[in-house]
Amino acid sequence: MQEVSHEYFMREALKEAQRAFEMDEVPIGAVVVKDGRVIARAHNMREITQDATAHAEVLAIRQACEAVGLWRLIGCSLYVTLEPCPMCAGAIILARLDRVVFGAWDPKAGAAGSVVDLFGVERFNHHPEVVPGVLAEECSSLLKEFFRKKRL
Amino acid sequence: MQEVSHEYFMREALKEAQRAFEMDEVPIGAVVVKDGRVIARAHNMREITQDATAHAEVLAIRQACEAVGLWRLIGCSLYVTLEPCPMCAGAIILARLDRVVFGAWDPKAGAAGSVVDLFGVERFNHHPEVVPGVLAEECSSLLKEFFRKKRL
């Protein structure tokens, strides 16, 4: 049941990634879920905004903070199609998210174990539950297709 | 001469930290400098915005991206009164800032050596020059005064 629910929300994140793809942005999407409901959804917007911080996770977290009216996202889970980078992993810790569920691993910049593991650093004051690899194939395929088309 | 200039811009960051103090925000300030000119200035605004990502560095980076019209802040330096946290260190790497100059060390959450050292991770694709400890005493005193008043 838990697994079904993770896949359901990862599909919502994938819809956001697909929107990014259509806008010629690197296709990464994220949603924030509270009490079984999506309260924020966003995708990477770095190129269109020319804002280095406009990653899907940061945009979704900002939107979720606005939705609940608090900077602490207690009781919330973040679903994202790619392993978070250090900036986004840091934002997840700062926002006190209960859980982060991600799709594909990112061997180049992943901060949930691939390059560094920020969620596992004991000295930080918050440690979300981490669920990796949900719909990893689909999340990864979308990224591969994007970069393949870019090279054509 | 280099040293004088670092102190000059750190004083600008300290002015931002002072503004945060007056707004009852944790007093941390940052400026982004390009060609000897401040192109962005910001301070921590987490409480007033209730946005977990509203740290001085992230706000200054977003403002600087807007000022130059690009997500790559090449040729830019960021001055911040406290050692960046993982989110902000990650944002500095993503924005390709040439240099980060900070004031006080942050033993609880610092990501430039105190808890983790993200700038020193070889596998990341960008490595800014790091200048720690500029006006460290003043930067630290402002924070101490803030928390002392909070406890009264």
Side-chain angles (χ1 to χ4, degrees), chain A residues 43-145:
Chain A
H43 56 71
N44 177 33
M45 289 183 57
R46 188 181 64 176
E47 300 305 325
I48 205 165
T49 59
Q50 287 295 314
D51 172 0
T53 73
H55 280 194
E57 300 96 309
V58 161
L59 297 175
I61 287 170
R62 282 166 53 196
Q63 214 183 95
C65 288
E66 210 178 317
V68 302
L70 292 171
W71 64 258
R72 283 185 188 84
L73 297 178
I74 293 166
C76 296
S77 297
L78 183 134
Y79 290 76
V80 57
T81 57
L82 187 68
E83 182 186 3
C85 75
M87 174 184 73
C88 294
I92 287 162
I93 294 168
L94 289 172
R96 313 281 202 272
L97 279 148
D98 280 15
R99 185 192 289 131
V100 51
V101 183
F102 68 86
W105 291 94
D106 181 1
K108 283 189 188 163
S114 285
V115 180
V116 290
D117 179 11
L118 291 175
F119 300 126
V121 177
E122 269 193 41
R123 281 170 66 195
F124 292 140
N125 65 354
H126 180 71
H127 301 91
E129 180 194 348
V130 181
V131 182
V134 173
L135 301 181
E137 276 294 308
E138 285 175 58
C139 294
S140 168
S141 293
L142 194 62
L143 282 159
K144 278 181 193 151
E145 191 188 338

Side-chain angles (χ1 to χ4, degrees), chain B residues 61-99:
Chain B
I61 286 170
R62 283 167 52 198
Q63 216 183 93
C65 289
E66 211 178 316
V68 301
L70 293 169
W71 63 260
R72 283 184 188 84
L73 297 178
I74 293 168
C76 297
S77 297
L78 183 134
Y79 290 77
V80 56
T81 56
L82 186 69
E83 182 186 5
C85 76
M87 174 183 73
C88 293
I92 287 162
I93 294 168
L94 290 171
R96 314 280 203 271
L97 279 148
D98 280 15
R99 186 191 290 131

